[in-house]
Each structure stands twice: as C-alpha cells, then as structure tokens.
Amino acid sequence: MEKNTLLVLENFIGGKFVPCTAQIDSYDPSTGEVYCKVPDSGEEEVDAAVQAAKDAFPGWSARSPDQRAQVLNKLADLIEGHLEEFAQAESRDQGKTVTFARTVDIPRSAYNFRFFASSVLHHTTDCSQMDHMGCLNYTVRCPVGVAGLISPWNLPLYLLTWKIAPAIAAGNTVVAKPSEMSSVTAWMMCKLMHQAGVPSGVVNIVFGLGSRAGDALVGHPEVPLISFTGSTATARHITERSAPYCKKLSLELGGKNPALVFADADLDRCIETTVRSSFSNQGEICLCTSRIYVERSIYATFLEKFVAAARKWKTGVPSDPGNNNGALISKEHLEKVRSFVALAKSEGATVHCGEGINHPDLPNRNINGYFMAATVISGVADSSRVMQDEIFGPVTCVSPFDGEDEAVAKANGVRYGLAATVWSRDVGKVHRVARRLQTGLVWTNCWLVRDLNLPFGGMKNSGVGREGGRDSYHFFTEVKTITIKH
C-alpha cells in the first residue's frame, strides 16, 4: 500500500481534531499490511484533553437529563445513518466480518446511546423520614466530573459507546482512549459530534498506547473515575496508579467461560448455540465459551456432533457474507493463540479440527492475514494453562464430567468468573447450578441474551464493579445524603 493512501487519525480535543507529532502503525488484520497511522499520544495530549473536559463540565452538567438525552439520541441517529460506512471500517480495522459489524457492533453502538438517553430519565433517589427527630433525609446524585474511559480492540465502537453513553448521560465529560489497534470508528464518530450537538470538550478522544496515553489518563490527578475493559494484568496496573487518588474504578476484565452440558440438554440447540458462543468474532469476545464440560453419558455423541458443526464454521475474507469469522486482531495475537494449541498438543491433547488441520481458503492478497480456523481440543487437563488462561481466540476445549457437583467444581476451578452457560431441561437443576457458579452472568439454554438494564460484570479476576442501566448510573454519579430539620 502506498504511503499516500494511509489513513491518518488525529486526536479529538475540545471539539477539534488535533494532529499528533508521533504516530503508531495500525494493520489491516486481513492482509497484514499497514493501512492507518494512529496518534502516539502521551501526557501532553492527555492533559490538554482533561483540561477541555474540565472546562466543558459546568455547562454540560447543568443541562437537564432530558436535554442531554436529546443529544445522545441525535448521535444515535447519525451513527445509524452511516451504518454501512462504520461497518466496513470496523471490519477492516479489527478483522471481524462485515456481517458481524453490520448486525452486531454498529447497531449496538447506536443502541447504547439510545438506551442511556432513555435510562437516565427514569432513575429515582431515596428518601427516609425521621419524624421523631423532626428530620427528613433524602439523596441526590451528582455527576463525578471528568471520566477516564479505556476500551479494548475486540468490539471497538460497541464497547467505547457502552462507556461514553452513560458517562455523558449522567452529566460527566469524558476523555476516552480506544485501543491503538482499532481506533478508526472512534475517530469517525468524532466527526459526528458537532452535528449531534455535543458541546466542545464534552467528549474528547485521545489515541495511543496503553503504556503512554492510558497511563497518563489513569494517573491524572483531575480524572476521578476510570472505566476500563481489558486484561487483568493491565487492570492491576490501573489499580496501583489510581490508588494514590482514591479513584472510582469499574474494571471489566477477562473470562474463561464454561458451558455445562447435562445429559438432558436439547443437544441440537445446544451445539448450534455453543459453536456460536465459542467462535463468534474469532473467539475475541470476553463472554465466549472456552471450556465445554459435558456429562459423560453423552460426551462421545456431543464431541462428534460439535466437531462436525465447528468444521462448518467458515473462516475467511471478512467481506464475504458466507464467512462466519474473519481475521484475528494482530500477528502477535495470532501467534499467542496458536501457542496455546501447540501447548495442548505437547501435553497429549487431541486437536479435532482447526489449527494445523483445516486451513482457511484465502485469495492471494489475504495470504499474510491473521486467520485461524475454529479449533476444538479434547483431553486437556484442568490444571493445564490451556484450561486456566484466557486464550481469546477461536479455540475451545471439551471435557467430560460425572454429576452436578463435579460440573460445578470444574466450572469454578479457574481464577476468572465472568460468564457461564448451563444446558439442561431440568428447571430445578438449572437454578441450583446457576446459584453455585462463581460468575457474574449465567445463561441457561441460550447465550449472549442481554437486557441492558441488568448488571454486567464479573467475579474474581474477571473484574470489579457492575455496569448496566442503574449500575452505570450509580458508577458515573456520586450519591449525597441531605438531612433537613424542620
């Protein structure tokens, strides 16, 4: 690709695009070629963005929830009006299929603004009477100030808007840092801010590396709140950097999500859904199923049918509507995911399909892209790193269990606790197992059904805090108790 055809992004600070002196290469995962230059921002750029957000805060927070909601709805309209353009850009930047971006990422990005535009209008506060003291107590909720938002590369616009929407709906202003590997749709959204009526400085987006721009944001003394989605290791660093300032933190981290398949499950529906839950978006969703435990009496049947279904899950050029998966985000990530499959083989596990067995059929221009077929492994020990660590790729492990207690013990036997799925027709069993699982979300006989009103988040190493209708509102506001004596 010629130098002059490269897309060059700029930071969005105080309602204006601001060029950056240093830049980072961003790759098209489907070809392995550089196609974009992303600002390599640091303390100076973050400081300018924080100042712009601080300046905008009094005016924005003084608006009524309804006035702010109108702006969010307009932004949703504009994203929907450019849906195809956003979908094509998201696919090219992240590697996902255009179909997935068109049907999942971009519609959900617009819906995030619509949902929080509505949600912010429906919160009430608490009141208590103390007649014997002649007092009335009530609470009010106030926006916190400048919110620092750090979003990941797997669902770039979807997860960025999941943070921006509730933050500004509640009256905060924001400084956001998307992943340097998938920044294009965030930059495109900035172009719509003025038209949507977002005042200058309310939304600022600074692009760059986590180690520089992210670190400057989480360590900034005038950013009292950080919402982060990403790895557990990065979250530890954020916690340490934030500790001297006692910042509010919401940390949505990794997962090693189990599916428990009992003998009385509807097997056809289970397999169809579990293939999707294991491999959707190249397995690059924090909620993807990476461990499948199957009751021993149906284990052989399940494995045979599941492998056959996984072989039909097509991987290839993201623009082809016949493909289920596109490319993984980067060469380094592809090598990391492959290394887990190699480790499983070295430990004596069986790879049934995918890595090293089925190769995606690619045209010449995509030969150097970061593609990997849906991979199913069996015979992996529960203690193996393959079963314990988050792989975040199109790889899942299938293993047998005997009885309810063993199923729960295996499911809970990792340091993560984000989501789980349970497959059974026995209502009593479903309730018992769901209560015992150490995860923030449990789906039974389905996957990824989300009501945005309800809490989202994990236990253990999968995070701190919850986000959702009421939970996001509580996170992005401070509560104050007021007592009136009469």
Side-chain angles (χ1 to χ4, degrees):
M1 201 176 277
E2 294 299 317
K3 280 273 186 221
N4 60 7
T5 63
L6 291 180
L7 187 59
V8 179
L9 308 191
E10 295 178 324
N11 290 321
F12 187 69
I13 299 172
K16 297 186 181 70
F17 284 102
V18 183
C20 191
T21 50
Q23 293 168 328
I24 305 158
D25 288 342
S26 183
Y27 293 80
D28 177 337
S30 74
T31 63
E33 294 173 352
V34 176
Y35 92 103
C36 177
K37 294 281 190 182
V38 177
D40 184 10
S41 306
E43 281 186 21
E44 189 180 329
E45 290 82 2
V46 168
D47 203 48
V50 171
Q51 191 56 54
K54 270 186 71 183
D55 292 346
F57 178 70
W60 182 246
S61 59
R63 292 196 186 192
S64 70
D66 188 55
Q67 288 170 327
R68 295 194 295 262
Q70 287 174 27
V71 174
L72 268 71
N73 278 318
K74 178 65 173 162
L75 194 48
D77 290 343
L78 290 167
I79 291 170
E80 283 175 343
H82 294 83
L83 190 144
E84 188 59 25
E85 194 184 329
F86 272 103
Q88 295 286 344
E90 199 75 293
S91 169
R92 187 173 187 197
D93 201 23
Q94 198 273 338
K96 67 177 80 249
T97 63
V98 174
T99 303
F100 196 91
R102 188 187 289 134
T103 56
V104 179
D105 289 68
I106 309 309
R108 172 63 189 271
S109 301
Y111 182 65
N112 284 338
F113 284 112
R114 287 203 198 295
F115 174 81
F116 286 107
S118 171
S119 173
V120 77
L121 305 178
H122 302 288
H123 298 292
T124 57
T125 55
D126 300 318
C127 174
S128 77
Q129 291 171 251
M130 296 175 69
D131 292 342
H132 62 292
M133 299 285 288
C135 286
L136 177 74
N137 307 296
Y138 65 95
T139 61
V140 294
R141 285 197 166 267
C142 314
V144 179
V146 179
L149 313 176
I150 301 175
S151 56
W153 49 256
N154 60 324
L155 300 164
L157 194 64
Y158 175 138
L159 289 173
L160 179 64
T161 56
W162 175 240
K163 297 179 186 301
I164 290 176
I168 65 174
N172 302 282
T173 54
V174 307
V175 177
K177 191 206 86 69
S179 167
E180 71 281 3
M181 290 192 278
S182 54
S183 297
V184 173
T185 50
W187 171 76
M188 287 168 63
M189 182 175 67
C190 293
K191 295 179 178 183
L192 307 176
M193 290 291 170
H194 181 70
Q195 203 180 335
V198 179
S200 298
V202 169
V203 175
N204 305 275
I205 299 191
V206 176
F207 300 99
L209 298 166
S211 56
R212 292 193 68 229
D215 189 66
L217 183 56
V218 299
H220 201 291
E222 295 185 85
V223 178
L225 171 153
I226 301 290
S227 173
F228 168 78
T229 301
S231 74
T232 304
T234 304
R236 287 197 189 104
H237 178 73
I238 289 171
T239 305
E240 288 166 6
R241 287 287 278 128
S242 302
Y245 306 102
C246 300
K247 298 188 183 208
K248 285 186 88 171
L249 297 180
S250 177
L251 307 171
E252 200 272 280
L253 312 178
K256 190 70 180 170
N257 309 305
L260 303 183
V261 183
F262 288 93
D264 61 355
D266 177 340
L267 213 53
D268 290 342
R269 202 164 117 221
C270 169
I271 285 167
E272 183 192 351
T273 303
T274 308
V275 166
R276 202 164 50 84
S277 72
S278 299
F279 306 123
S280 281
N281 200 49
Q282 304 77 243
E284 295 170 330
I285 303 176
C286 57
L287 300 162
C288 273
T289 302
S290 55
R291 299 178 294 143
I292 304 169
Y293 296 109
V294 185
E295 198 154 9
R296 196 175 298 276
S297 62
I298 61 161
Y299 175 73
T301 305
F302 176 92
L303 186 59
E304 185 185 345
K305 288 188 171 187
F306 185 76
V307 169
R311 286 179 185 275
K312 291 177 187 164
W313 188 265
K314 287 185 69 180
T315 299
V317 180
S319 58
D320 184 343
N323 289 330
N324 303 100
N325 274 359
L328 275 70
I329 184 69
S330 68
K331 186 180 182 185
E332 294 75 16
H333 187 59
L334 175 62
E335 286 168 358
K336 179 195 142 184
V337 175
R338 281 179 168 160
S339 76
F340 277 102
V341 182
L343 175 61
K345 282 166 101 168
S346 75
E347 292 174 346
T350 303
V351 180
H352 296 270
C353 62
E355 175 61 18
I357 297 171
N358 312 83
H359 298 285
D361 186 20
L362 301 167
N364 281 341
R365 76 177 297 264
N366 299 100
I367 289 296
N368 295 319
Y370 316 132
F371 295 91
M372 181 175 174
T375 302
V376 181
I377 309 176
S378 67
V380 182
D382 287 335
S383 58
S384 168
R385 277 185 50 231
V386 181
M387 277 291 211
Q388 293 292 323
D389 292 357
E390 183 175 42
I391 299 173
F392 216 62
V395 178
T396 195
C397 299
V398 188
S399 184
F401 70 82
D402 296 294
E404 219 172 286
D405 289 345
E406 188 182 8
V408 171
K410 283 176 177 287
N412 289 342
V414 296
R415 64 183 183 275
Y416 294 104
L418 185 55
T421 54
V422 179
W423 290 90
S424 170
R425 287 186 173 100
D426 182 335
V427 175
K429 184 188 291 178
V430 159
H431 284 293
R432 282 195 308 275
V433 171
R435 283 182 68 87
R436 294 174 67 191
L437 291 171
Q438 296 166 352
T439 60
L441 303 110
V442 180
W443 282 291
T444 61
N445 303 318
C446 63
W447 176 71
L448 206 57
V449 177
R450 286 278 294 123
D451 177 346
L452 302 193
N453 280 297
L454 298 178
F456 179 91
M459 301 179 181
K460 303 192 287 190
N461 277 20
S462 287
V464 175
R466 295 290 183 272
E467 294 179 23
R470 186 180 60 184
D471 299 86
S472 293
Y473 182 67
H474 284 181
F475 176 65
F476 285 111
T477 55
E478 290 283 17
V479 67
K480 184 185 297 182
T481 302
I482 299 171
T483 300
I484 308 290
K485 186 153 177 79
H486 53 82

